[in-house]
Amino acid sequence: MCSSDLPDGVIKIAWFQGLASEFIDASARMGKESDLRAKHVISSPLTLFNGDRAVVETNVLLVSQNPTLKLGALGHSRFFDRVERRDGAWRIVHRQSIYDMASFMFPAGPVEIDDEAVARHPLEYSAIAYMLEKSGFSVNGTFATKGSDVESAARTAAETWLAEA
């Protein structure tokens, strides 16, 4: 994926909210300028089409680790995307994560965790948020979690958008 592929795509995840082109640049900086390592394991998508629009939901397993902190996090979320066919090509126009669950990993044995910092975020993504923040990436806002009002609002907005196709 390159920035020209998604000129007006929007991404909303724990550490980033903005245009896809900006996300690509921010991700590259994350890889170069921090000790945070992350890997996404992505499943096959479930897609609901209506003409040149579709809503796509994809299960994602996020494995992250910061060796300097001797701490890792494992999380399950779902990419919830609105995609649209433009000039014969399908493009993501809106992506957000719906967070289902997350936990800490301790690759070098137990480390001290700041319980108050963890408690600032919903349990479904608190371990991921903690890892991000301790690695230098802010987590601001409230994000969709399994069964939350934010998830319901995202689904309603996507259904309305899909019906307008």
Side-chain angles (χ1 to χ4, degrees):
M1 167 173 33
C2 70
S3 59
S4 62
D5 289 342
L6 301 170
D8 60 352
V10 174
I11 295 180
K12 182 178 181 183
I13 57 174
W15 68 276
F16 181 88
Q17 298 175 55
L19 296 176
S21 59
E22 296 167 353
F23 172 74
I24 293 164
D25 295 338
S27 294
R29 282 193 308 276
M30 176 185 271
K32 292 177 186 172
E33 298 173 7
S34 78
D35 292 329
L36 185 63
R37 301 172 182 167
K39 179 78 173 176
H40 292 78
V41 181
I42 301 174
S43 73
S44 298
L46 175 63
T47 307
L48 180 60
F49 290 95
N50 185 15
D52 287 333
R53 289 185 176 182
V55 174
V56 181
E57 190 166 341
T58 309
N59 285 295
V60 178
L61 181 65
L62 170 63
V63 182
S64 61
Q65 185 178 72
N66 185 320
T68 303
L69 299 173
K70 298 180 181 172
L71 183 64
L74 179 65
H76 180 272
S77 64
R78 291 165 281 141
F79 288 148
F80 189 64
D81 301 332
R82 296 181 212 177
V83 299
E84 192 168 40
R85 185 171 22 208
R86 296 181 180 175
D87 299 322
W90 288 94
R91 310 244 189 250
I92 298 171
V93 296
H94 185 272
R95 166 170 281 175
Q96 72 182 93
S97 283
I98 301 170
Y99 296 93
D100 294 325
M101 63 187 86
S103 60
F104 289 107
M105 299 183 302
F106 303 96
V111 297
E112 193 169 317
I113 302 288
D114 179 348
D115 292 338
E116 288 181 23
V118 172
R120 284 196 295 263
H121 303 284
L123 182 61
E124 293 85 351
Y125 60 89
S126 60
I128 293 168
Y130 185 85
M131 278 286 298
L132 286 163
E133 290 175 341
K134 291 296 181 184
S135 298
F137 301 93
S138 298
V139 176
N140 300 309
T142 301
F143 302 94
T145 57
K146 185 175 183 168
S148 69
D149 290 343
V150 178
E151 179 184 12
S152 295
R155 289 190 179 285
T156 299
E159 289 168 5
T160 300
W161 175 83
L162 189 63
E164 293 170 350

